[in-house]
Amino acid sequence: MKTTCIVTGGAGFIGSNFVHMLCEIRPEWNVVNIDALTYAGNRENLTAVEKNKNYSFVHGDIRKHADVETAFTTAKKFGGRIVVVHFAAESHVDRSIQSGLPFVETNVVGTQVLLDASRQHEVTRFVHVSTDEVYGSLGDKGFFREDTPLAPNSPYSSSKAGSDLLVRAAVHTHGFDACITRCSNNYGPYQFPEKFLPLMLANASEDKPIPVYGDGLYVRDWLYVRDHCEAILCVLEKGAKGDVYNIGGNNELANITLVKRVLKEIGKPESLITYVKDRPGHDRRYAIDAAKIKAELGWSPRFTFDDALPLTIRWYQTQKEWLQRVRSGAYREYYGRQYGSGA
Ligand code: NAD
Ligand code: DAU
């Protein structure tokens, strides 16, 4: 069936990888990308697809009804059924600790504006891209399952949990066709260097200190971004209405182990590691049980960490200009606020 996919936040890290993937493996689909181009959004991430006839960019804010309407008008010009994949969000935990309001405005209010418009325009499938952080924190043992109670701890994860509940309400109250995905930490090309992995690569390339929060023993489950994008497409095409799907890499690493591994890979000394003040309310461990999406939809990750880490490192090494441009004045200001020194 002719399909037009509205992607929100397609100029960000995961969204731009998803748009590239759709253009590659669903070339018969049309794609409308609505993005407000906040500090985290970058049209340069999509240069390779800008000229495609089946791709259209709308510079718009999901909090604004009129902007969302423009995205739907654009989608209707393409024709066919309309599906939505919703990435747009304020996504960085440390920024949410500095100021929570933008997170409520985009992640909660923006999601409701988008849901209302999507129902009105008879969207046939809506995928809400959420996070494992809505489940809170784990101890040494156990995994997050889809029925793990929501217990978010940061303003970021609380706003994402709020948006998950609004999606759930649209399904239960209005019979709207939506699914929710909850994924672990992604890594790969186009990730903004406020996040840990690109931050350590950017700093290490200039022999600058790598800030490790607290004791460095916090654990994350790392998944290559292309695997996440394939899982989202799988849910879009095959997921059951109203269901939640956990997505993870079965690849748990303590932060300090990750830093040492990266430093070894790029030939930089461990003396760059600098322990700094911990993140307030820092979640100790995340680990995903992704058995449901594997059993019911047949998805599992294709990339091992051993393969995808060098790919990611190489991407950042060959994209030095991209890195310089995104680490603009605004980034340096943020870095100073967060770490007390220049980037
Ligand atoms: P990102 O910060 O790199 O990109 C977010 C994008 O949304 C940017 O392009 C930004 O311009 C856009 N945006 C922000 N506010 C907007 C608004 N009001 N209107 C329109 N566009 C707006 O984020 P990311 O890391 O790519 O994450 C994408 C989604 O995936 C988020 O919803 C996040 O919660 C979720 N997620 C991320 C990860 C991860 O490891 N990065 C893991 C699980 C889930
Ligand atoms: O789990 C999914 C989540 O992963 C997504 O929902 C978020 O959008 C995404 O940002 C990410 O959240 P984290 O807080 O886990 O990612 P971050 O890269 O900020 O940090 C990863 C770990 O590294 C975390 O334990 C904090 C630590 N850290 C981070 C930074 C930026 C440091 O030790 N030093 C740092 O400078």
Side-chain angles (χ1 to χ4, degrees):
M1 189 192 296
K2 189 171 176 184
T3 300
T4 297
C5 184
I6 296 181
V7 175
T8 72
F13 164 44
I14 308 174
S16 60
N17 277 281
F18 186 78
V19 170
H20 282 295
M21 184 195 73
L22 275 191
C23 292
E24 179 197 326
I25 67 176
R26 292 292 179 275
E28 70 284 9
W29 286 22
N30 302 299
V31 179
V32 176
N33 172 16
I34 173 171
D35 197 297
L37 300 179
T38 68
Y39 77 91
N42 186 356
R43 264 187 102 163
E44 195 186 337
N45 297 355
L46 294 160
T47 311
V49 302
E50 286 277 358
K51 289 205 172 79
N52 287 10
K53 284 203 179 65
N54 61 342
Y55 170 80
S56 193
F57 179 73
V58 174
H59 185 193
D61 188 328
I62 58 160
R63 294 169 299 180
K64 295 185 181 153
H65 181 71
D67 289 2
V68 172
E69 279 303 301
T70 305
F72 277 99
T73 309
T74 311
K76 282 184 177 166
K77 281 188 195 141
F78 280 126
R81 68 166 180 157
I82 301 179
V83 296
V84 173
V85 181
H86 178 31
F87 293 97
E90 289 293 338
S91 68
H92 192 39
V93 174
D94 292 325
R95 285 185 192 254
S96 82
I97 294 166
Q98 290 183 3
S99 171
L101 197 54
F103 288 74
V104 176
E105 288 171 349
T106 285
N107 302 358
V108 181
V109 177
T111 298
Q112 187 61 48
V113 171
L114 190 67
L115 283 168
D116 289 344
S118 299
R119 284 201 301 113
Q120 191 198 332
H121 290 286
E122 298 177 343
V123 161
T124 57
R125 168 54 53 95
F126 183 106
V127 178
H128 176 60
V129 181
S130 191
T131 168
D132 59 356
E133 297 198 12
V134 298
Y135 297 121
S137 184
L138 291 165
D140 289 347
K141 294 205 176 69
F143 295 89
F144 295 134
R145 292 162 39 101
E146 286 80 359
D147 57 6
T148 301
L150 301 188
N153 290 318
S154 72
Y156 161 69
S157 55
S158 303
S159 67
K160 290 297 289 188
S163 63
D164 287 19
L165 294 180
L166 292 172
V167 174
R168 176 188 154 91
V171 174
H172 283 260
T173 307
H174 301 290
F176 184 57
D177 189 330
C179 297
I180 296 172
T181 60
R182 294 186 180 136
C183 189
S184 59
N185 288 59
N186 285 212
Y187 64 100
Y190 303 113
Q191 187 167 29
F192 193 78
E194 65 189 353
K195 306 283 166 41
F196 195 35
L197 212 150
L199 184 145
M200 68 176 88
L201 287 172
N203 285 17
S205 74
E206 296 173 354
D207 297 311
K208 289 185 172 155
I210 297 173
V212 173
Y213 295 159
D215 62 6
L217 297 177
Y218 294 84
V219 172
R220 298 293 182 265
D221 169 7
W222 293 91
L223 180 72
Y224 191 51
V225 65
R226 175 65 184 239
D227 278 322
H228 185 194
C229 291
E230 289 179 6
I232 291 167
L233 181 60
C234 192
V235 171
L236 179 65
E237 294 184 324
K238 300 195 279 189
K241 176 178 166 181
D243 270 20
V244 174
Y245 296 92
N246 282 353
I247 303 167
N250 201 15
N251 180 39
E252 286 182 55
L253 288 171
N255 292 338
I256 192 66
T257 310
L258 176 67
V259 185
K260 287 183 178 171
R261 172 76 196 272
V262 167
L263 288 173
K264 192 168 175 208
E265 198 86 27
I266 60 177
K268 293 285 183 178
E270 289 187 7
S271 56
L272 290 179
I273 295 171
T274 310
Y275 287 93
V276 299
K277 191 168 154 283
D278 209 349
R279 170 186 281 176
H282 200 167
D283 286 335
R284 192 60 167 171
R285 173 173 166 257
Y286 303 145
I288 280 277
D289 177 348
K292 177 178 173 181
I293 188 170
K294 185 174 183 193
E296 295 185 11
L297 307 186
W299 174 89
S300 44
R302 289 194 298 120
F303 291 86
T304 65
F305 192 68
D306 284 351
D307 292 336
L309 181 66
L311 287 180
T312 304
I313 290 173
R314 214 167 310 130
W315 189 86
Y316 284 93
Q317 284 172 338
T318 55
Q319 301 294 324
K320 287 217 166 71
E321 286 171 14
W322 179 92
L323 206 51
Q324 283 307 332
R325 278 195 291 276
V326 299
R327 289 159 92 210
S328 64
Y331 175 80
R332 281 165 208 283
E333 239 173 69
Y334 161 77
Y335 198 95
R337 268 201 316 276
Q338 180 65 20
Y339 300 99
S341 61

